[in-house]
Amino acid sequence: MKDIKECANLALAGLLAGGAEKASVAVYETEQREFNAEGGELNLLRTVFGKSLSVKAIKDQRLGSVSGNDLSKEGIEKAVEDVLTATESAAQDPNYDIAEKQENGEFRLPCYEADMDRFFLRVQELLKDVKEQYPKINVMLGVCSHMQSHNVYKNSNGTQFEVFEGAYNVFLEFSAVEGDRSTGINGGGFTTINLDEPFINHPALRQHLEESMGQLDLVPVTGKQEGTVIFTPDCAAQMLMSLLGNYASGSNVLDGTAQWKDKIGQQVVDPRITMKVDPYDARIVCGHRYTGDGFRTEPVTLIDKGVLQCHMLDLYQANKLGKKVTKLAGNGYILENGDKTLEELIRGVSYGLLMGSFSGGSPNASGEMSGVAKNSFLIVDGKIQGAVMETMVSANLGELFNHLVGLSSETTEDGSMSMPYVAVSGVTISGK
Amino acid sequence: LGGSVAGPNLNKQVASPLISMVDYASVALDGPAKLPIYLDDEGIPATDAVLIEDGILKGYMHSRESAERFGVRPAGNARAWSFSDEPLIRMRNTAVLPGKDKLEDIIASVDDGYYLLRTGNGQADLTGEFMFGVTMGYEIKHGKLGKAILDTTVSGVAFDMLKTVDMVSDELIWSSSGFCGKKQMIPVSMGGPQMRCKMAIGGR
């Protein structure tokens, strides 16, 4: 079947005819055109066509779900048969549900069609610019693609969403090499719909290239002491996602391990922190328009001036807990910036790190975490001394954001988020 | 080729002489490998790749292209996850070979240290710097196992750590639940004995 709306209609009709009381179907067709580069040279162009079908059925309070990629009539009928069979062996739970009727929507986002000629020239230019502006940088891997997606969601409450979207994704993985010295792996990238500017000027990439160049000059870190760590925007995103995942995610709230399970309306982090998810913000590319449960997404403020506004609950979790569902679908995280420049933040650090990324074990339920500071620099008396290696940081994730020193006025946007630099104190820094 | 610390160290001592490491294809020591590979995704028949022998770095894992650049035969390490992926150089069934020591003797020899049994995630870098989250471990005090430790992290530089190995147990334990996450996630298996070594262990 060529038309994915027809596929969705066939699947939904089959589910209802098969006795499902509630059902939903999501069908995707995608086309990804990807350039790869290795050793700084383009070496691959491929086009990958993707199709997927995801069906969900609730019958007698039992949930079944099946995914596949066969969109022929026979393939769809088989998926329907399989999902109805799956419901028969599922556990009963009255909390399974789909979203009530939503206003239908057809969303045509920019950049559905790719300008591959112009994209190729920008990619070629990027590799050349890296060689010329950063001759010590060795680009191990470059993956630059245009992803086009057409998807349809329908459910038995009469909701239909159809989305046409596309975007260019640019990612480089590299290290700096000088003689027999080599830095660790670094990587940076972004998602964009705009080919007007040379890619090397994108802050999300430039910052990482500069980081790697600085990593060639190491300084020793010895002993163990407490200090202030300034997270780069990427690292701040890593920390915040970990914090929200551990402390406010639906799965952890449901199983009782979330530290913030009873903290809605309470101060959980510094009052200077306001964090929201807004897929419609102009800085976010291809923000999701609907959730897996069938809700239209909405901008959601998770933390407002340090006060927890909501947990991140899907419909099942919300029903189980007797709480409101959060209509989130995965991208568009925005942390509001502060009023100090990065330079001011660095000047205020007597001992600490400017940390590019954190390589560590997942924090446990209590929030304790420890790991290696990667692509990081030592700060002493307000000045960057040099790059560090074999340096571990340890802290409690929840306490960290109550020891906020400041947020930078500068932010970095990579298409999926907007983050400032974030400085926190009370981090244990250990060297050799 | 990307600047890995292993690059300039071929045929040099990179680990204790007690350390030998092999990436097995389909048969490993005592039987079938956990993830047997007979042919890689470039059509190369899979053979074992000896990486470290008695502490000396003897070879690398290769694709057709890298093997040609190094003037060696590829051993079948290039694998792709799905039909539309390009083959990438991967580990298959990589193990440190067992030694001669008994685990109980290794524990008894440690006055103040840790016995680390299970890891969660982990990463390694071109520089040899590695990190692993430890999800199960015990203190060792005066040669005896003590209290369990909370989640913690170990780190170090691989070749530096491997040079400190001075006891290697005679058992080999395999794990086949791992993934190589380089661009495409693909199952890999790894194995090794218990080893006594020095590394940084972190936590507050």
Side-chain angles (χ1 to χ4, degrees):
Chain A
M1 304 190 90
K2 287 214 168 138
D3 184 334
I4 61 171
K5 270 208 281 230
E6 269 182 49
C7 297
N9 288 341
L10 178 68
L12 192 60
L15 290 167
L16 295 174
E21 286 126 22
K22 296 179 186 184
S24 68
V25 178
V27 189
Y28 280 75
E29 60 183 356
T30 58
E31 183 174 320
Q32 180 171 340
R33 287 190 264 180
E34 181 183 298
F35 294 106
N36 277 196
E38 227 176 272
E41 303 290 336
L42 284 167
N43 71 343
L44 178 71
L45 166 63
R46 65 166 158 220
T47 303
V48 181
F49 301 97
K51 290 186 194 301
S52 71
L53 167 74
S54 192
V55 293
K56 212 189 290 189
I58 300 170
K59 194 172 169 184
D60 189 27
Q61 297 182 346
R62 299 171 200 275
L63 172 71
S65 67
V66 156
S67 297
N69 64 358
D70 183 352
L71 297 191
S72 66
K73 185 168 176 294
E74 295 73 26
I76 293 170
E77 286 168 352
K78 178 80 173 47
V80 165
E81 186 189 324
D82 288 346
V83 80
L84 290 170
T85 304
T87 61
E88 289 165 16
S89 53
Q92 259 185 326
D93 192 327
N95 298 296
Y96 292 125
D97 205 350
I98 57 174
E100 68 269 15
K101 172 86 174 89
Q102 306 284 293
E103 185 189 342
N104 290 349
E106 182 183 294
F107 304 97
R108 289 185 180 265
L109 305 184
C111 201
Y112 181 67
E113 299 291 346
D115 183 344
M116 286 308 286
D117 288 340
R118 205 163 165 221
F119 185 43
F120 169 67
L121 290 173
R122 283 291 185 215
V123 172
Q124 220 181 16
E125 175 190 60
L126 171 64
L127 296 172
K128 179 167 161 293
D129 285 344
V130 171
K131 273 192 195 148
E132 286 173 0
Q133 295 180 33
Y134 299 97
K136 294 178 190 170
I137 293 283
N138 171 32
V139 174
M140 291 161 1
L141 177 67
V143 182
C144 304
S145 64
H146 179 268
M147 173 67 107
Q148 177 192 84
S149 171
H150 172 208
N151 52 89
V152 169
Y153 171 93
K154 284 178 79 84
N155 71 23
S156 54
N157 284 338
T159 299
Q160 177 171 302
F161 299 122
E162 185 171 13
V163 180
F164 297 85
E165 61 189 349
Y168 301 99
N169 300 293
V170 177
F171 176 75
L172 297 184
E173 188 177 86
F174 46 82
S175 61
V177 182
E178 185 171 47
D180 58 1
R181 289 187 298 154
S182 173
T183 68
I185 297 171
N186 202 342
F190 54 91
T191 300
T192 186
I193 55 174
N194 189 327
L195 297 178
D196 294 341
E197 289 290 322
F199 287 159
I200 198 158
N201 291 339
H202 200 293
L205 191 51
R206 175 92 62 193
Q207 177 210 314
H208 289 282
L209 290 164
E210 295 286 338
E211 246 170 38
S212 277
M213 291 302 299
Q215 288 288 305
L216 284 167
D217 298 312
L218 291 172
V219 294
V221 173
T222 53
K224 185 172 175 172
Q225 67 179 83
E226 235 179 54
T228 295
V229 172
I230 302 176
F231 300 127
T232 61
D234 264 4
C235 193
Q238 209 184 341
M239 292 291 142
L240 283 160
M241 293 305 112
S242 200
L243 177 76
L244 292 170
N246 249 32
Y247 285 50
S249 71
S251 52
N252 285 2
V253 172
L254 195 55
D255 70 19
T257 58
Q259 295 261 332
W260 293 348
K261 66 182 192 303
D262 300 315
K263 300 264 189 185
I264 290 183
Q266 295 183 36
Q267 198 84 33
V268 291
V269 292
D270 189 279
R272 287 167 285 177
I273 292 176
T274 292
M275 177 117 186
K276 60 184 180 183
V277 183
D278 187 355
Y280 304 93
D281 189 284
R283 293 167 285 185
I284 305 300
V285 174
C286 293
H288 298 310
R289 294 307 192 242
Y290 59 89
T291 74
D293 294 319
F295 290 102
R296 271 188 183 244
T297 52
E298 293 172 351
V300 172
T301 300
L302 296 171
I303 297 172
D304 186 27
K305 299 185 184 57
V307 176
L308 182 66
Q309 301 299 301
C310 60
H311 298 124
M312 299 186 297
L313 305 175
D314 65 23
L315 184 57
Y316 173 76
Q317 291 156 351
N319 287 344
K320 201 90 174 159
L321 292 162
K323 293 181 188 242
K324 215 172 122 189
V325 63
T326 22
K327 296 170 188 173
L328 295 175
N331 66 354
Y333 286 82
I334 297 167
L335 176 62
E336 282 189 8
N337 56 334
D339 56 4
K340 289 192 191 304
T341 63
L342 172 61
E343 206 182 303
E344 284 168 331
L345 288 177
I346 291 172
R347 273 208 302 269
V349 175
S350 56
Y351 181 82
L353 298 173
L354 173 62
M355 195 156 117
S357 70
F358 171 77
S359 175
S362 304
N364 61 23
S366 67
E368 289 297 313
M369 52 170 244
S370 62
V372 176
K374 303 291 287 183
N375 299 313
S376 300
F377 299 87
L378 181 67
I379 305 172
V380 176
D381 296 330
K383 289 195 170 68
I384 289 184
Q385 305 296 305
V388 301
M389 195 166 143
E390 294 187 80
T391 300
M392 290 187 79
V393 293
S394 313
N396 182 283
L397 196 53
E399 285 173 20
L400 263 188
F401 291 93
N402 279 298
H403 296 151
L404 188 75
V405 171
L407 300 166
S408 70
S409 47
E410 304 97 319
T411 57
T412 296
E413 281 88 35
D414 69 357
S416 68
M417 60 154 201
S418 172
M419 290 281 151
Y421 289 81
V422 177
V424 294
S425 62
V427 180
T428 303
I429 300 169
S430 326
K432 267 183 130 163
Chain B
L1 294 172
S4 158
V5 68
N9 284 302
L10 198 58
N11 295 318
K12 293 186 185 165
Q13 195 85 30
V14 296
S16 153
L18 298 176
I19 296 292
S20 293
M21 188 189 292
V22 177
D23 179 63
Y24 291 101
S26 53
V27 175
L29 292 171
D30 49 357
K34 299 303 171 191
L35 293 171
I37 309 289
Y38 300 96
L39 193 71
D40 79 357
D41 293 315
E42 288 185 327
I44 300 290
T47 54
D48 299 341
V50 175
L51 304 174
I52 299 176
E53 192 168 27
D54 302 327
I56 297 180
L57 182 65
K58 301 301 276 184
Y60 308 123
M61 294 183 281
H62 285 289
S63 62
R64 279 179 184 268
E65 185 186 355
S66 69
E68 190 180 318
R69 284 215 220 180
F70 280 81
V72 297
R73 296 173 79 88
N77 282 101
R79 293 193 288 148
W81 175 233
S82 90
F83 73 93
S84 58
D85 287 325
E86 73 281 22
L88 300 176
I89 300 171
R90 312 282 196 167
M91 53 190 278
R92 299 164 303 182
N93 304 276
T94 312
V96 173
L97 302 193
K100 296 186 167 61
D101 296 298
K102 294 289 175 201
L103 173 60
E104 52 267 32
D105 294 335
I106 298 177
I107 293 174
S109 73
V110 175
D111 189 53
D112 184 6
Y114 299 92
Y115 179 36
L116 306 177
L117 285 96
R118 296 249 168 86
T119 65
N121 56 324
Q123 285 180 338
D125 206 337
L126 291 179
T127 52
E129 191 175 41
F130 66 87
M131 170 288 302
F132 283 91
V134 176
T135 52
M136 182 172 163
Y138 298 92
E139 288 184 322
I140 303 176
K141 296 284 185 199
H142 311 303
K144 289 189 177 9
L145 290 182
K147 293 186 230 177
I149 54 176
L150 268 184
D151 295 322
T152 188
T153 304
V154 293
S155 70
V157 175
F159 287 157
D160 291 350
M161 184 277 287
L162 288 174
K163 282 174 185 159
T164 69
V165 173
D166 56 8
M167 291 179 88
V168 178
S169 82
D170 58 2
E171 350 171 35
L172 176 58
I173 297 173
W174 285 99
S175 162
S176 50
S177 59
F179 281 85
C180 173
K182 192 164 53 172
K183 200 181 173 206
Q184 316 146 14
M185 295 290 278
I186 201 164
V188 296
S189 96
M190 62 219 87
Q194 293 92 352
M195 302 188 288
R196 192 173 91 151
C197 64
K198 287 191 185 340
M199 68 173 96
I201 182 161
R204 291 203 295 177

